[in-house]
Structure formats: structure tokens, C-alpha cells
Amino acid sequence: MPYTKKEYPDSLKFFMAPVRNKAIDIANALLADGSDESKAIAIATAKAEEWALKRGVKVRKDNAPENRD
């Protein structure tokens, strides 16, 4: 199932839009190449985080569960 900016896995909901969009692009490319969905999402999430950190882009929204006290 190809993902869009409006339809994406719940695991991406706390990502900032640029990072989420990068993950969506990566996941869609992996799915097009025949990867299974769960593997594509895991790889896309890790690679999008890596992409953001290399560019100094904020990865997660302030209200993400891991940012709460």
C-alpha cells in the first residue's frame, strides 16, 4: 500500500512533517522494490531519522511520548 502525506503508518505520527515525508518516500520506494510492509516502515523510519540528524532537522514533535516527563 503506497503511503501519502495524509495516509501513513501510526508510527510516523509524532515525526515532524519533513522527516515523516522523507520516511514516506523511502517506505514507498522499498515497497515498490518488493519489501514487506513492516520491514519497509522500520527501515524508512531509521533512514529518515538519520537523514534529519545529519541535516540538523528536528525529528519529533514536542508532544511525542518520548518527549513527555
Side-chain angles (χ1 to χ4, degrees):
M1 166 183 154
Y3 298 108
T4 67
K5 291 180 181 182
K6 292 183 179 188
E7 303 257 345
Y8 51 82
D10 282 342
S11 61
L12 300 178
K13 71 180 176 183
F14 288 108
F15 279 73
M16 298 298 291
V19 183
R20 183 174 54 247
N21 293 339
K22 178 58 87 174
I24 290 167
D25 290 343
I26 295 168
N28 284 337
L30 290 167
L31 290 170
D33 283 346
S35 290
D36 70 80
E37 195 169 349
S38 61
K39 186 175 181 180
I41 293 167
I43 292 169
T45 301
K47 291 297 184 182
E49 280 189 77
E50 183 181 312
W51 172 86
L53 293 172
K54 285 183 179 178
R55 288 161 179 77
V57 175
K58 185 176 177 181
V59 175
R60 289 180 178 76
K61 296 178 182 179
D62 290 336
N63 65 341
E66 57 271 15
N67 293 336
R68 295 184 195 149
D69 293 292

